[in-house]
Amino acid sequence: MSAGTLYRGREGMWSWVAHRVTGVLIFFFLFVHVLDTALVRVSPEDYDKVVATYKTPIVALLEYGLVAAILFHALNGLRIIAVDFWSKGPRYQKQMLWSVVGVWVVLMVGALYPVLGHAVRELFGS
């Protein structure tokens, strides 16, 4: 099957772009995470300062974005696997994409409080 078959139409093009962008963002996060974790061996005091910045509301928003990227990348990856390995996958790829988006939205709504609850409490009080 060609890439043209897998990514036919406007939705397919945007899912292709979103899959690559989320993959790069996740890679960047992992790179930074490895670096900041390695900082503990170089300077535990600086490591503590870096970790303290992670408790800010802005970083909570970035964490929510990370959750969004990971969830979309994972769900869309499962869709791509289904398109590649299920004989009827190419026929139902558009429906599967919209299913991925629907499940992603539901999961993101469910992640609001667990991920952003601390930031909201910090900004507006308990």
Side-chain angles (χ1 to χ4, degrees), residues 14-124:
W14 285 112
S15 72
W16 183 89
V17 169
H19 197 74
R20 269 76 187 157
V21 168
T22 56
V24 169
L25 291 173
I26 293 164
F27 174 79
F28 178 72
F29 163 77
L30 290 173
F31 181 73
V32 170
H33 180 62
V34 168
L35 288 178
D36 72 3
T37 303
L39 187 60
V40 76
R41 296 188 57 102
V42 177
S43 173
E45 297 83 22
D46 288 338
Y47 173 78
D48 290 339
K49 290 177 189 174
V50 169
V51 169
T53 65
Y54 292 164
K55 297 176 183 173
T56 64
I58 292 172
V59 174
L61 282 173
L62 293 172
E63 286 177 344
Y64 190 70
L66 176 64
V67 170
I70 290 170
L71 281 175
F72 179 81
H73 194 79
L75 294 169
N76 194 51
L78 292 173
R79 181 190 70 86
I80 291 169
I81 290 170
V83 170
D84 285 347
F85 293 106
W86 180 35
S87 62
K88 295 180 183 179
R91 184 178 314 145
Y92 295 109
Q93 66 178 323
K94 190 172 185 177
Q95 293 89 336
M96 287 189 291
L97 175 61
W98 287 112
S99 297
V100 162
V101 170
V103 169
W104 179 78
V105 167
V106 167
L107 292 174
M108 289 308 299
V109 168
L112 271 170
Y113 181 75
V115 177
L116 295 176
H118 171 72
V120 170
R121 285 188 301 276
E122 187 173 313
L123 287 173
F124 302 109

